[in-house]
Amino acid sequence: MTMLGGVLLLSGCGGDGDGDGDNPAPPPVGATTQAPEPSGATCDQAADTVKNHLNSPDVTSVTVVGQCTLVVVETTLGDDDTAVAAARQLCERAGEVAYTGDINGISVKSRSDAELSNGITGMKCLP
């Protein structure tokens, strides 16, 4: 009988080794419940798509930030009312191609880094 108990112990029978046998098995190595983070290349492609679509001399750069969820359009626009109207047009135009994957927001900024307009998926851009 001692021999049988030794074989069972060596073969892994009898639970997790703490004697109670009621702990569930750990998840497989590499298993995850979270979605993978988007790659930098995917975010860069989205930024390039938006910049090419805008095709405006007012746009200095387009980046995608925050786990690839927000498009930031930096411009040469000032902070006056005319700039706000132009920024809103840029925001609406960016929205035509920006909302793909996890991207759910757009921010258009002035040359002083003030936000002139912003938008979210399915809504008109706001000044």
Side-chain angles (χ1 to χ4, degrees):
M1 193 117 126
T2 308
M3 177 84 153
L4 180 59
V7 171
L8 288 176
L9 182 61
L10 291 175
S11 69
C13 294
D16 57 6
D18 64 0
D20 63 3
D22 59 352
N23 288 340
V29 175
T32 180
T33 57
Q34 296 177 354
E37 296 210 11
S39 71
T42 302
C43 298
D44 291 344
Q45 288 173 340
D48 289 343
T49 298
V50 171
K51 188 169 185 172
N52 291 336
H53 187 70
L54 292 176
N55 192 26
S56 170
D58 292 328
V59 175
T60 58
S61 72
V62 176
T63 55
V64 180
V65 298
Q67 294 189 352
C68 208
T69 57
L70 177 67
V71 172
V72 178
V73 179
E74 295 183 28
T75 72
T76 59
L77 298 172
D79 297 324
D80 57 16
D81 289 340
T82 305
V84 171
R88 186 172 180 189
Q89 288 178 342
L90 287 171
C91 181
E92 291 291 338
R93 186 134 168 86
E96 294 171 358
V97 296
Y99 299 123
T100 61
D102 291 333
I103 296 173
N104 59 17
I106 299 170
S107 176
V108 180
K109 298 192 172 196
S110 71
R111 69 176 162 261
S112 70
D113 203 35
E115 186 173 68
L116 298 173
S117 183
N118 64 62
I120 59 173
T121 306
M123 303 296 287
K124 295 274 187 192
C125 290
L126 301 172

